[in-house]
Amino acid sequence: MSAVTVTIGAEHPALAGHFPGAPILPGVLLLDEMLRAVEQQRSCAGTRWRIGAAKFVKPVRPGETLTLEHEPLPNGSIAFRIASAGQAVAHGVLVPAIAPTGPHDARGAAVPAGPRASAAQWAGAPERGSATLLRIMVFLSLRLGRPVARCLLHLIAAYFFAFAPGARRSAREYLRRALGREPSALDRYRQVFAFASTILDRLYLVRERYGLFEISTEGEELMHATVARGSGAFLLGAHLGSFEIMSAVGRRRPGLRVAMAMYGHNASRVTRLFSAANPARAPEIIALGQLQAMLRIRDCLDEGKFVGMLADRTMADAPAQIVNFLGRAALFPSGPMRAAAALRRPVIFMTGLYRGGNHYHVAFRQIADFSQPAPAGREAAVRDAIAHYVALLEAYCRSDPYNWFNFYDFWHGADARNEAAPGAGG
């Protein structure tokens, strides 16, 4: 991250009449200084910028020493933060209106200037498989039982392993990082089969066949204590293992209720079909991107519910933080943590790891408690909480590597650009 300090005196012409007797610096003046700093330090004077996002959180008065911080994002945008005496006064994202000729990451390596690869790939990828075949699989799984269904599942997993080269390449890049070695074909197949197993088990969980599973837990007392307080909390997961196994844990603790906050297009065909089979057990869904979403999240928390979110995938130009993950910088959304901070609620990390056969291990870990005042300010607390979330995610990726179900280029092509590993093809 690059930084520079500036001081704007009371004689600046922009302060005339803004406001008489109690002058403050206009937001446009802060943005102008930020653009000047970016152009001087990043050799991108020919780039035209637009404001992708900007938030002014504290008024600035003449004579204050401002620290202007900025860092590049993998999509060519610039994340910026303006602080005074260590406290944030503004933050946001600058987006190139015309792609710069040479965006660079923090190490000086070239990065693509197009849209975020992760959002473009995971949000726009079509679902594979036939709806008719899916219904047949559901019918056979319920009639013949889980052991027989798992035998059939090997055929389905083998098909996708053979005929999804893009997902296979991305899985290989991830496993190379998580395992610390070149993954074998068996390693890659195990990841695909683990994914297929959690989807199949989702069907039995919706049907409340909890007796089929052996579930171990860690940190369950944290959930019990949170339920007892009755003030609600955010439950942040990832596309790591099974979030649905939470229903089996919740059955053992009356009062543990979860509402899922998600974008409507994230609901897959499988989720819709399984939920239709038992609508009484379908989770409450809060549709993000709508005006009333934040109000509904607040209401659920006030009712003592947990609000669950998957916080590992970025979305278009939504605010995000760049964090080192498995040895390479990656983007993680900051929206979930900012929502928790704004509503002053605790945040708990949750993952349901599939460990073969019928065994799952569910882990709950405290990430942050925004109900308590943050000595360094809310912005710093949000950044620290995101870093803590990513550290937990990385730890579980290393302990249970086959549970990672983001089958796309999570690092935006960093491996392809910066590594020349032999046999890196599909």
Side-chain angles (χ1 to χ4, degrees):
M1 175 179 290
S2 300
V4 65
T5 58
V6 298
T7 302
I8 300 175
E11 70 282 359
H12 195 285
L15 293 172
H18 199 95
F19 295 91
I24 63 173
L25 303 188
V28 66
L29 179 58
L30 296 177
L31 292 175
D32 182 65
E33 291 293 336
M34 191 73 250
L35 282 170
R36 192 193 314 275
V38 168
E39 290 176 350
Q40 289 177 349
Q41 293 189 294
R42 298 199 177 275
S43 302
C44 52
T47 302
R48 294 176 54 196
W49 299 93
R50 62 181 178 86
I51 307 302
K55 185 174 182 180
F56 301 92
V57 296
K58 182 180 178 292
V60 181
R61 303 196 180 281
E64 292 188 36
T65 299
L66 302 176
T67 302
L68 312 180
E69 301 174 343
H70 49 92
E71 62 180 335
L73 300 177
N75 66 340
S77 300
I78 300 288
F80 70 85
R81 177 177 180 267
I82 304 175
S84 174
Q87 291 191 335
V89 299
H91 58 84
V93 178
L94 302 175
V95 180
I98 299 176
T101 56
H104 294 77
D105 65 15
R107 300 185 312 152
V111 297
R116 295 182 185 179
S118 61
Q121 290 177 345
W122 75 260
E127 286 190 68
R128 289 176 170 268
S130 159
T132 300
L133 289 177
L134 182 58
R135 291 190 179 91
I136 292 173
M137 183 65 185
V138 169
F139 175 81
L140 293 176
S141 299
L142 295 175
R143 286 299 182 92
L144 301 179
R146 189 171 181 270
V148 175
R150 282 175 60 80
C151 292
L152 297 175
L153 203 62
H154 277 288
L155 298 177
I156 297 172
Y159 171 82
F160 285 110
F161 180 76
F163 296 104
R168 192 168 64 244
R169 283 193 296 271
S170 296
R172 188 170 193 164
E173 292 171 1
Y174 157 76
L175 286 171
R176 186 183 298 125
R177 297 186 178 283
L179 297 173
R181 59 175 172 80
E182 187 66 24
S184 65
L186 179 59
D187 288 320
R188 289 178 279 138
Y189 179 77
R190 285 183 65 183
Q191 185 184 10
V192 173
F193 188 73
F195 177 53
S197 296
T198 61
I199 292 177
L200 173 65
D201 290 342
R202 192 184 308 171
L203 172 63
Y204 297 113
L205 291 167
V206 168
R207 295 285 179 142
E208 301 183 36
R209 298 187 182 181
Y210 302 122
L212 295 174
F213 305 103
E214 178 185 342
I215 303 171
S216 58
T217 64
E218 63 175 286
E220 195 171 352
E221 64 280 356
L222 173 63
M223 300 295 285
H224 295 171
T226 306
V227 170
R229 285 197 299 269
S231 59
F234 282 81
L235 195 60
L236 293 196
H239 293 80
L240 181 78
S242 169
F243 202 95
E244 290 77 11
I245 200 70
M246 178 75 185
S247 62
V249 177
R251 188 176 67 99
R252 304 193 303 220
R253 176 71 185 187
L256 202 163
R257 299 167 294 159
V258 179
M260 287 298 299
M262 59 190 294
Y263 289 96
H265 62 264
N266 288 15
S268 67
R269 182 190 302 152
V270 173
T271 299
R272 292 191 296 268
L273 180 61
F274 288 1
S275 297
N278 189 0
R281 293 297 301 173
E284 177 181 356
I285 301 297
I286 301 172
L288 295 176
Q290 300 182 8
L291 291 176
Q292 66 271 28
M294 199 67 172
L295 294 176
R296 184 58 196 147
I297 289 174
R298 184 199 61 192
D299 290 344
C300 286
L301 293 167
D302 288 343
E303 294 166 11
K305 295 179 180 178
F306 290 87
V307 173
M309 293 182 179
L310 302 180
D312 55 333
R313 291 182 178 180
T314 56
M315 188 69 187
D317 287 328
Q321 181 170 315
I322 191 164
V323 186
N324 188 285
F325 175 59
L326 292 174
R328 179 72 66 185
L331 277 175
F332 287 86
S334 59
M337 214 68 76
R338 292 187 183 281
L343 294 172
R344 300 183 181 278
R345 304 296 171 132
V347 183
I348 297 171
F349 177 90
M350 180 270 177
T351 184
L353 303 165
Y354 175 67
R355 290 186 169 173
N358 68 341
H359 184 204
Y360 283 85
H361 180 72
V362 179
F364 302 102
R365 301 282 294 275
Q366 182 89 40
I367 296 176
D369 187 355
F370 291 109
S371 66
Q372 305 299 319
R378 193 166 79 176
E379 284 300 313
V382 166
R383 290 197 304 273
D384 290 346
I386 294 172
H388 190 188
Y389 167 85
V390 174
L392 287 171
L393 187 61
E394 177 172 313
Y396 285 113
C397 282
R398 294 195 185 279
S399 67
D400 295 80
Y402 307 113
N403 278 261
W404 179 255
F405 302 147
N406 283 312
F407 293 98
Y408 63 89
D409 179 13
F410 197 81
W411 289 270
H412 316 283
D415 289 274
R417 292 191 306 274
N418 300 308
E419 294 182 7

